[in-house]
Amino acid sequence: MKFLSIYCCCFFISLNAIAQKVIIKGVITSKTEPLENINIKVWGTKISTKSSKAGTYQLAGVPLGNCELVFSGIGYQSKKVSVALKGDTVLVDAEMLSLASDLNDVVITGVNRATQLRKSPVPIAVLSKKTMDQNVNTNLIEAIVKGVPGITAVTTGPNVSKPFIRGLGYNRVLTLYDGLRQEGQQWGDEHGIEVDEYAITRAEVVKGPASLTYGSDALAGVINMIPYTPYFENGKLKGDFTANYQSNNGMIGSSIGLAYIKNDWKYTFRATGKTAHNYRNKIDGWVYGTAFREYNLSASARLDKTWGFSKTALTYYDNLMEIPDGSRDSLSRRFTRQVLDNGDDIKNRPLVPESDLRTYAINPLHQHIQHYRFYNTSQFKFGTSDLNVLIGGQQSVRREYNHPTWPAQAGLYVVLNTFNYDFKYNLPDFAGLESTVGLNGMYQANRSKAATDFPIPDYDLFDVGAFYFAKKSMGKVDISGGIRIDRRNIKWDNFFVGINPQTGFDKQVSANDPTGKLQFPSFHKNYYGLSGSLGLTYNISERFLIKANIARGYRAPNITEIGSNGLDPGAHIVYLGNRTFKPEFNLQQDIGIMAYLKDADISIELFNNNIQNYIYQSRLTDANGNPVVIVPGNLTYQYQQSKARLYGAEISINLHPRALRWLSFNNSLAYTVGLNRNRELLDQHDNDARYLPFIPPLQVRTEIKATAQKPIGIFDQPYVKIDAAFFADQNKFYALDNTESFTAGYTLINGGVGSALKTKKGRTICDIFLQADNIFNIAYQSNLNRLKYFEYYNQSPNGRSGIYNMGRNLSFKVIVPI
């Protein structure tokens, strides 16, 4: 009996030891400052959490014994800490080292599982809200352009920027909002991305074909704009108020965001408003037709459970933007405006009164863009696997008012409804192989309403694609790749246009209307695509690695490329499509060398991109070489298709000497060449047709920044910086039919100061940013500025043609925490 009693006692003691759980908690800091939103995970388990605003964290239910904690976060070097767990509670504090290169940043764009930048062979860049706040931006895409080498934008005034990646844009760059593909008539030149810039806390950019994950329209890459997700103490209500003023166009922006956490629920809400009058430069003065007024609303609710999470969100975007046409007096070069429909003479319009050049009121000739978005994204965990589901609906409403005698009559009025679906299943790991299977696509329906211009038909589109992706780490080598197949169906019925007897303008009519003409004959076609990628990263050492990737991308022709036949009044272009176009396919090779040294980060990325069936715009001329005019005062473009090649490089050298921790010196270079491989055109026109249209020139950016390492009074880590952006001459342009012209190079000098203001107790009062763009008020034209070609005279008194970019712009921004 004595032996049995001793045995039972030992048995129950051992059971108690096995069942005993430990709480790990601590504080995470960097240079004595608490860090929020740092990931903490018990290695080899599912136990994880994030740090609070105060830098504190707590992990409950950790088994007794030895374990490893992994700390990781955006902008900081990952850290592993071995811990011996004894007792009920163990304190583990962590000091994180800043890492300007984001070497171990966790990303989700372009791949199917969370991965580190250093492990991804695909070129990926990450831009934080802090970086975006420290530049003068009039829209979100402009912020991304300034922060990521190789990214440019086609612009139409300060509020319209469409992203280009390595010389490719429009439907070749897929923009995402929180993982949901953005659908809003991307083919149009004259409107931007329907996203609230103040709501985005992070932007991830994939440079290169991402068709493997997303299918058509990711031929050039992906930009994922990620909104804020709260992580702080339960039961707290927090937020921020942002106020922004810019001097050049008087832009006034304000935004308020709120977040609340209650147990497993996280709620967010944001409201934003922006308004601006016309911008100015020293050549054109006030540029008539560039004012805008924008409103945004967004809200979300997220539930986090042991089984995963589910987030439901909605957004509303409303933008009134004036439509510039560049008409002006031939002698004074003052801007004029259209006052007649019939009988309008572009070269004899009345001058715009001075009082109308600086007003915030939107003139009658404007466009009204509305975008509604509702989606749910969820993750369901099943042991060592998980299912990710994204379902979303969008509606884009686009109206362009171009009739001065009938200001309430929209010239263009289209409504695009889109339903998106995306399913990804991350399979259990097998022998170190991480793999994902997925199915995604969309259904679209575009309808014209009570309009007078019809550049595209009413169409229906159904898109579906399936893929397999896998990655594996083998010592110093990380390999990833996969394969995908797509099918896109697009169709429309006969579309007739006739005369509206009340207005004299065109309107959509039935086939039986005696005034009707068939503008869009019926069309029905399937497009198929096979895409994939294979890449590897070789980690020569912790600080030196080589990446290589080869990828095949696919893009079905968009609606305007195959179906357009009419005027887009906002763009002042008559588009002519081609129903015989084939899908684009490209084969891109990337190689990168990365060095993360003690005092510097260096990266060299080279790419070569060959495209089959490349589609581009070209001005249409007659047999005598004169521009074809279908609608007076508007250009006519016809789409072309040929082979193409793009190649280039991006180089970054960022210096952060350890002996001078207050100093950073960042430099980047981006160079892209686009070659037209249309042999017939080259034989006929030689150099005029040698290059692709709208390729950015050589760009060099350099920034020197000094940041105080200790508070100076109420100023916490104040900084001062100055940067220069050099753009070379663009003499490699598509000159055929005067589609493009030579663009002179220029250098812009910018600067800024900023700081957090804190009380003696460490409470943040606000963040302030004082910045200046184009300090020396340089007169310049970007080759990607569409306003450069808004000109109606062959010669002008000042020798200048077209409209110039914005002049000096001073910005004041303050962000107040709530």
Side-chain angles (χ1 to χ4, degrees), residues 671-685:
Y671 181 61
T672 301
V673 176
L675 300 176
N676 190 344
R677 293 300 180 88
N678 188 323
R679 181 47 54 191
E680 182 179 349
L681 284 180
L682 291 172
D683 290 342
Q684 293 179 13
H685 305 283

Side-chain angles (χ1 to χ4, degrees), residues 523-581:
F523 181 83
H524 189 177
K525 191 167 184 177
N526 292 318
Y527 298 96
Y528 296 92
L530 181 67
S531 52
S533 69
L534 179 64
L536 64 85
T537 300
Y538 179 53
N539 300 272
I540 298 174
S541 68
E542 180 66 22
R543 294 187 172 274
F544 190 74
L545 53 116
I546 297 176
K547 300 184 177 186
N549 191 71
I550 183 169
R552 186 178 197 254
Y554 147 79
R555 185 181 76 90
N558 67 33
I559 183 60
T560 187
E561 292 165 346
I562 56 174
S564 59
N565 182 26
L567 172 67
D568 180 356
H572 296 288
I573 292 175
V574 175
Y575 292 102
L576 301 177
N578 190 320
R579 299 155 67 96
T580 67
F581 279 165

Side-chain angles (χ1 to χ4, degrees), residues 268-552:
T268 67
F269 170 80
R270 181 167 291 275
T272 295
K274 293 197 303 184
T275 185
H277 55 64
N278 298 306
Y279 81 85
R280 63 180 171 176
N281 59 61
K282 67 181 183 182
I283 300 299
D284 304 304
W286 300 100
V287 178
Y288 181 65
T290 57
F292 63 88
R293 186 182 304 146
E294 178 184 319
Y295 301 102
N296 291 276
L297 292 172
S298 61
S300 70
R302 172 172 168 146
L303 175 65
D304 285 278
K305 289 289 188 179
T306 56
W307 50 260
F309 72 87
S310 182
K311 174 183 175 181
T312 300
L314 57 89
T315 68
Y316 171 64
Y317 172 95
D318 189 292
N319 199 346
L320 293 170
M321 291 185 290
E322 295 180 349
I323 302 176
D325 66 7
S327 68
R328 59 178 102 193
D329 180 73
S330 61
L331 297 179
S332 67
R333 297 291 285 174
R334 289 179 59 187
F335 285 97
T336 60
R337 64 181 178 189
Q338 182 183 358
V339 295
L340 298 173
D341 281 301
N342 297 322
D344 175 50
D345 183 352
I346 294 173
K347 298 183 179 180
N348 288 286
R349 293 175 175 176
L351 297 174
V352 178
E354 287 293 327
S355 59
D356 287 357
L357 290 173
R358 298 183 63 181
T359 178
Y360 286 92
I362 302 298
N363 73 50
L365 304 187
H366 66 272
Q367 58 179 315
H368 188 188
I369 307 295
Q370 294 171 294
H371 192 276
Y372 307 84
R373 181 189 293 109
F374 179 81
Y375 67 96
N376 175 273
T377 179
S378 300
Q379 182 183 78
F380 304 95
K381 298 179 180 179
F382 310 106
T384 58
S385 65
D386 57 81
L387 174 66
N388 297 269
V389 179
L390 191 154
I391 301 291
Q394 301 173 67
Q395 183 180 76
S396 173
V397 182
R398 179 177 170 191
R399 284 167 284 193
E400 297 179 357
Y401 297 93
N402 62 321
H403 297 298
T405 58
W406 291 79
Q409 173 62 61
L412 179 72
Y413 188 173
V414 290
V415 177
L416 178 68
N417 292 304
T418 305
F419 170 75
N420 302 92
Y421 61 94
D422 189 344
F423 304 93
K424 295 186 179 74
Y425 180 59
N426 294 318
L427 285 76
D429 295 356
F430 177 75
L433 182 71
E434 301 178 24
S435 56
T436 302
V437 293
L439 180 77
N440 50 30
M442 63 179 174
Y443 168 74
Q444 276 188 344
N446 184 81
R447 299 293 181 264
S448 290
K449 301 298 182 180
T452 65
D453 297 294
F454 306 93
I456 59 173
D458 292 350
Y459 71 89
D460 293 287
L461 179 152
F462 180 73
D463 197 48
V464 63
F467 69 90
Y468 173 79
F469 171 85
K471 62 179 182 178
K472 183 177 176 63
S473 295
M474 299 179 292
K476 294 185 175 183
V477 178
D478 301 298
I479 301 177
S480 63
I483 191 168
R484 178 188 180 100
I485 188 168
D486 279 278
R487 174 184 178 271
R488 171 169 289 186
N489 175 270
I490 187 168
K491 63 180 180 180
W492 62 82
D493 297 326
N494 288 334
F495 189 105
F496 293 86
V497 174
I499 301 298
N500 185 333
Q502 294 179 339
T503 64
F505 301 132
D506 286 345
K507 69 173 184 177
Q508 184 178 357
V509 299
S510 67
N512 299 323
D513 192 302
T515 68
K517 62 177 181 179
L518 183 60
Q519 184 154 339
F520 302 104
S522 63
F523 181 83
H524 189 177
K525 191 167 184 177
N526 292 318
Y527 298 96
Y528 296 92
L530 181 67
S531 52
S533 69
L534 179 64
L536 64 85
T537 300
Y538 179 53
N539 300 272
I540 298 174
S541 68
E542 180 66 22
R543 294 187 172 274
F544 190 74
L545 53 116
I546 297 176
K547 300 184 177 186
N549 191 71
I550 183 169
R552 186 178 197 254

